[in-house]
Structures are given as C-alpha cells and as structure tokens.
Amino acid sequence: MSQNSQTPRGEMVTFMLNGAEVQADPNWNLLEAIQFYGIDIPTLCYDEGLTPYGVCRLCVVEIGSGDRTKLVTSCMHPVREGLEVRTHSNRVIKTRKMIMELLIARCPSSKKLQDMAALLELKEVRFKPLNDDCILCGLCVRMCEEQMVAKAIGFAGRGTDRYITTPFDMTSEECRRCGACMYICPACELRCQGPQAETVLCSGCINTEPVCASEYGDAMCFMVPCLSCVKGPEDVK
Amino acid sequence: MVKSINELESLRSQIQSERDSNRPRITVCGGTGCHASGCTEVASTFEENLDSGGLANKIDLVVTGCHGFCERGPIVIIFPQGVFYQKVTPEDVGEIIDTTVENGGIVERLQYKDPVTNEIKVKEEDIPFYQKQKRLVMGNNTSIDPTNVNDYLAVDGYSALAKALGSTPETVIDEVKRSGLRGRGGGGFPTGRKWESTRNAPGDIKYVICNADEGDPGAYMDRSILEGNPHSVLEGMIIGAYATGANEGYIYVRNEYPLAVANITTAIRVAREMGLLGDNIMGSGFDFDVKVNRGGGAFVCGESTALMASLEGKPGEPRAKYVHTSDKGLWDRPSNLNNVETWANVPLIINKGADWYAGIGTDSSKGTKVFSLVGKINNTGLVEVPMGMTLREIIFDIGGGIPDGKAFKAVQTGGPSGGCIPESMIDLAVDYEQLAEAGSMMGSGGMIVMDEDTCMVDVARYFISFLIEESCGKCVPCREGLLRMGEILTDITEGRGKMEDLDLIRDLSEVLKDASLCGLGQTAPNPVLSTLKYFEDEYVAHIKDHRCPAGVCTELITYSIDAGNCTGCGLCLKKCPSEAIMGDKKQPHVLDVEKCIKCGICYDVCRFDAVSKE
Amino acid sequence: MTVDESRLDSIIDEYNAEPGSLISILQDIQAEYNYLPAESLEYVASRLNIPRVQVFGVATFFKAFSLKPKGKQQIHVCMGTACHVRGSKRVLEELERKLEIKAGDTTENGEYTLETVNCVGACALGPVVVENEEYHGQMTPIKVENLLNGK
C-alpha cells in the first residue's frame, strides 16, 4: 500500500472503530485491526496466510460519516488515519445477511455456511436451493499458488459458469497431491471425506456424515485418483 | 521524419497549399452503418467508373469515417457543392457522376426529403438531424480519409501536440482541469484531476491507456471515432502521456471492431514513421509509443482494473480500488486510463483553450457528448450535442420522433449500468448530474428509445440477462445476486411472479449496489430499479393480471385469427413453423393455441390484419 | 488435431513471447484454426512461461475464444439493446428452429455455428445478423430462410 508504506514503521495510525479511538499498525488491513481488537466479523475467503481476495464480501464494514458513508471489504481496505469504521451497523448486517442467504441457497448442505447463517440469525432463504458444493472463495487456488507454489488449480469460465479446476479439466501435472486445497476449503464437509478418517489428508471430515460423496464425480478434490477417498474411478458406474 | 515543431508546420503548410477546395471530390461514408448497407460496393463502383471514364486524376474519391446519420446510409457527398445523397446504391453511381460531379446538376430521388415538411435539403448541414448538433469530436469524420495522415494534418492535426510539447506538463494538466472535461466512458471523473494524480504518483514507469473496449450494447460512438479519426485519439494520448509522464501507452480495443483495429494500427504505424511517436518526438526530448491490444470479448473489461488485468494476459477480473490505479494500475505502476471519446476531446481543448471548451455545456458538465440514438426512433445514428440539451430536443428535433405514429414511452441511457427515463421527464437537460438524479447515468452515451410496444419488465430482464452473462463471477453479490434477480424477473415475465418479489428485488438491489466489488455489480440494479420506479404498474400487470401490456412477453400473450378479416390466403399457414394454423384455401383459418409457439411470424406476414395478439 | 508448432512460433514471436500479449496471441491462433486446440494452449503456456492454468483460465473467460471447432459458416445474432427492442430475440429463435441448434452450438454436419453477440455497433440497422463478417440489417424471422439460402 503506497500510502501506508510512507508511514515509518512503528508509528501507529489512529482511527475510530465502533465509536472508540483505536490504534493500528499502518501495514494492517482493516480486518486485521478489527480482529486484533477482538471484534468478531464473518469471513469466508480470508486466511491470514494468503493474499486477501475480497470476494465473499461478508467482512464488509461501513466507513465514513454523515451522508458520505460506504461499505468496504475490511480484508482489502488498508487502515488509514482518521477512518470511521462501523462493523455492525444496520446496513452492514442487512448486507451480510443477504450475502449469506445467497450463499446458502447455492450450497445448502455446507455445515460451515449453516453455522455462519445461524450466527447471522438468517431465518429464511427466499431463493431456490441449487445444491452446489463450491462457493468460489478461491482459498484453494491461492493456497495452491502461494503456499504450495504449484499453480495446479485455478479459475475457469466466467460469471455463473465460473468454476475451479485443473488446467484443461484434466489431471494436473503440476499437482503434488498435497491436499492443501482440501485442508483450506471452508465448504468441503461433503466433499472429501473418506471412510477412514484418520488416514485422510485434511481430516476435515472426521465428524461428518455421510462418510463419502455418493458418487466419485461429486468429489471436488483435484486428484485422480483421490488419495483421501478409497474409491477410484473404477468404483463408480 | 518530422524533427521539430517547425518542420511539422511547414509540412502542414505544404499540404494545405496543395489542396484546392474547388477540386471535385466525392466522399463516401465508410462507417460501420453505411458499411452494412453496402457502401463498399458503392465506393468501388465510383472507383471503377472514374477509372473507366478517365476521371480518376481530375476527381478525388475519399472513403471517410462515420457521418452519424446511419439510418440513411450509404451516404455520399459531392464537393465542392456539398450535395448530400442518401441511400445510394451502386446503380446510382453513374448518374451521380454524370449529373452532379460533371455537370453540377442534382439527382433528386437521392436527396433527403424532410418527412414532416416534405422539403428537400441539398446540403448535409441543412438537414434537421444535423442542425441542432455541435460536432466537435465527430466533426472531421466527414471530411478526412482516416488512413491518410495528410488529411488530418490539413485540418490542423497534431498542432495541439506541438503546442503541448512547447509548454510544461503542468500547464497542459491545468488547461485540461480548467476545461472541465470529465470522463466520457461512464463515471464522469474529472480528467485533469486524474492526470494530475498519475503525474504526482511516485514511480519512473507510468502508462496511459485508451479504453476502446466499448461494450455497452447500443452504443458505438467510440467505434466511429476510432474508425473515422484515429489520429485524434492518438494525438490526445500523446498529449496525455506527456502531461502524466508516461512513456508507454496501450489501446485496448474490441476485436469485434475490425475496422477500428485496422485504422488505429495504421495511424500508429504512420505516426511512428513520421516521428510523432517514438523517441524524442519532434525534437522535444519526450519519448512515447503505443501498442494495440485486442479485447477478448468481455463487457467487464470496460472496468479499468479488469482491463488492466487482461492487458497483463490474465482473465479480465476487476480488483478492489481502495488504492487507485493512478497509484497502482497496470503491472502495479501508475496508470492513467481514459476512453476513446475523452482522448479525442483533448486536442480540441489544447488547440482552442480551456475557456472556449468550458463555455460549452452546463455548470458541471462541459463540452459536447456523442450519443448513439437508436431503438424506436426515426433518425437512428450518432449525434453530438452540447451537454445540457434536453432529451426532447435530442429525441424529437434531432431524432425526428418515434416511427409509425407510436407513442414515446421511455429512453434508456447509460447501457446496463443506466436506467430508463420516462416520458414525464422528457424535458430533462442531459448532463452527468441530471441523469444520475433520474436514476440513470451518462455511461458511454447509448440512448435507446422505447415506444409503447416496449415492455419495461422485459427490458429490465434483458439487461439483467446481459449482466449475468457478462459478470466475471468473482464476487458473491454480483455472481449470485444477479442470477437470483434474473430468476425473479423471468418468473414475472412468465406469469409466475408474486407481489413480494418486488420487495426482494429492492433488497437484492441494495446489496448489489453496496457490496459488489466493481462498477458492473454496483450499477447493475439501475435498469431494474428505474423501471420499477417509473413503471411499477407494468410489473403489477404481469404479476396480478398475468398480462404483458406491451404484448412482448411471449408466455403472457396469445395469438388468434380473426375470421372476419381472414381471406384464407394461406400465407400464415405456409410460414407457421409449428403447424399450428389450419384451414382450407379461401376459408378463414384457425390457430391452434396448443401448438402455437408464439413466434409471431403469422402476425408479421398477414396482410389483412387478421392475426391479433393480446 | 495436430498443431503446427512453427506456425505457433511465428504467431508467438510476433509478440516477442510477452505474457501480456496472451490474449492477442490466442486471438491469432483462433483465427488460424477457427478454435483453440488444447495442444496449442499447452504450447503457448510453455513458450510464454506462464502457468497452464492461467492460459486455460483466459481461454475460458473470454467469449471470443472457443475450445471446440466452429462451423464453416458463422452466424452471429446481435443481442444489443437496440436490436433487442426491435425484436432480435425472435430472429434468434427462428434461426435456432431452422438450424435445429441452440445459440452457442454447431450443427452436426459442421456447417453452421450459431452465436449471440452483445452489440456489433451497427445499431441503426437493428436487428443485425452477421454472417461470416457480412452484416444483414433490419432482420426479421421471415428473412431468416433467405439468409440461410444465401439469397
């Protein structure tokens, strides 16, 4: 951040967080500052070890005062001197609820989304359920690229046809089957669990039922054959 | 090679002195509209006839850029008299040469006749379509051959560049700031301020970018400027680069515009050969060069950060702009992006001065704006008017009103980001603020006129479908929200809507505006909200009465044959693709509603007014 | 389909194998083969030294690119706003019926590809159908038959 990098290290910026004056490291983004001060706001596409991507929009906060206020994604917005930040205004809550409603209509069976929806007190979903399993948060893509330096998966298509895949939709030569993509997936409960929970790579499925995706083709890990799942393509009709 | 400003001026004097304004000249409009109506054949027939008649060295033939009056193409103007001919076919060419070019006479049947007064208009400037226009940016389109730089130099081309290079970058920026020029691509950000931010941003390598990825459906002014006067855009960019301190530039142009790509590529090559691009331009010590990148077909690339991503060879996905592109743009370096029309305004401002420019338009919006006046309108085409002209003047005085005696219903401005302005607001003066206040926006200047036969719910659904297809899909509100908005609107147009859907649309719209990542999603609700605001009764008719008042939404209309009017000619029966029409020759026919797929062909072909839809 | 690597090289070299020219390079390849053969994309990724997944992402993001071969005759129906209000949807539907394919598809005999395009910038002539770069203005469902018969 060019503006922040001009601030000498160690010098803090001061801004208003929910009415209280707080200080933060100028290199932080707003979300880091908000979490530092113990305020819990939902997020799905953010991970502190990865470059912020700003797509789930759940971490929106309201900044500004009077007539000049707007929503910004706190994971992308730098902390700045004199900002006025509200993390739970009516406008923010209304927005987060609608986003959650959209997400849960897309992936109704995700345990993580259900829990987050409950915390947001979402009571009704007015859209037709799509029973999909990916929310396109891109955590796996960034994990693969930034932490595993493999670039084995990425986004393809656009708009409603956007999906995450390997190059040319084929077994990826770049994939080392490390399982990091599954580890970081926030919506994968239904996706990658094998019957022998202790041997699977991400272990994210230990407590969930059913034990395996009903069809191999539903599995969303990018490994063929899937190492975390005892089923291979030959087991599927 | 032009090595100094003096050399440029002596070259210009030489070109101008060689030109004889009394020499016979035939100009054929080569814009896309005329192209589609067959101007290429007209131009080649002229060429053949001039050659075979031994006239080629006495009479000039110029294929120019778009004149704007696309409805009447192909357009031919004969100089020095300035005789204007419309809808010219290759068969007319011989007669035009004999009668007008050689003998100064007139071919009356090709002249423009005012549809209201029946008065014949001899010259282009006498035609009402042109009379209220103020053609600054489009002005030279009609007189120059876009592939011939000498034509541009003859009309003072590159003199603004010479002037700019002779002053400091700060002076140039100040001039643009004082002119009040605002971005012509959509948002209307003050151009001078943008330039200043880029100039002040730290960094040695900076870029200027021309956004020619004109994606608004129904808008084609940038296409016509780039096709018709590419050097004016290039000149604007070189001046902008000098002012902001950039040495490299990019033009990102739609691949769907092959002629624009060809003409700007030629212009760049010629400018490079002449020393107007490259190192040490005209001895000033300033270096600058431009590359053309062709777009891959994505509306979202009109968004600056998405455009820059695709210039980097990545999918055209926008990113958050909490740090401006003037600080971190293309390859994270300071970048200044303007669209075609904005760049084309720059030479005018430098040449004629900020005060002159600021004298045109309204308090907040200066200069002229090119609009593409299309849809249900008599005089379809490109019109350039001073900011602040009312919609009524544009649509009725210039556009000649609505065809077939139908009633005007609304005008849609600003493309998929804009809204529909109803008849009650027809006296609105068009500038950035007024349009925004009405729930629409300037956008790039599309003006789509709608009549009583246009269904406003269908229009809203059309734009949302467009945006669903064009959304990059990166952020949740835009990707998922638009999809749901589309579902709801489809339900309404197909008779499954509920009144509570209207509240859901409004709630979704708020979130799209507030929480979408880029301008595409943030402005996407405008077509829906504006139609809901001004035409709620049409939504209610669809939902409560299962009726489409304009007779557009196929699920809600039925076709039938009126036995009294039907002569049993059998035409509809023959043309019906679903065999839904039965009847014996010369007996009234019957339409089977069960089999009818509502294609409307019977309605179109019937000559006896016997097919009705309701 | 096997791709001619020397042909690809000459396209890539024209852009100095710059990663920023990826879209232009893919456009030229598409012009050459009428679509983007998978092998050509692999080759471009290795020559430009960019991740294969990035090339695949770009090739599937932009509407101009096709990973499947296209028909000999390409019909583009303009769905711009001006064409829409003048009835382009009905023209498209008639083409779909006559060719027995949906927009975006190619007929089984490989003769026709039918596609929609969001504004070709010839709004004055709407509805517009572009057949192999030839513009047909003021289209109606009735004119579709003649268009397909080359009249």
Side-chain angles (χ1 to χ4, degrees), chain B residues 224-245:
Chain B
S224 293
I225 297 168
L226 215 49
E227 285 177 358
N229 198 349
H231 283 286
S232 69
V233 180
L234 201 52
E235 186 179 3
M237 283 185 77
I238 308 171
I239 295 168
Y242 176 70
T244 55

Side-chain angles (χ1 to χ4, degrees), chain A residues 149-166:
Chain A
V149 204
K151 294 182 186 173
I153 53 173
F155 288 102
R158 84 167 179 228
T160 44
D161 296 330
R162 185 177 167 93
Y163 66 109
I164 291 171
T165 186
T166 53

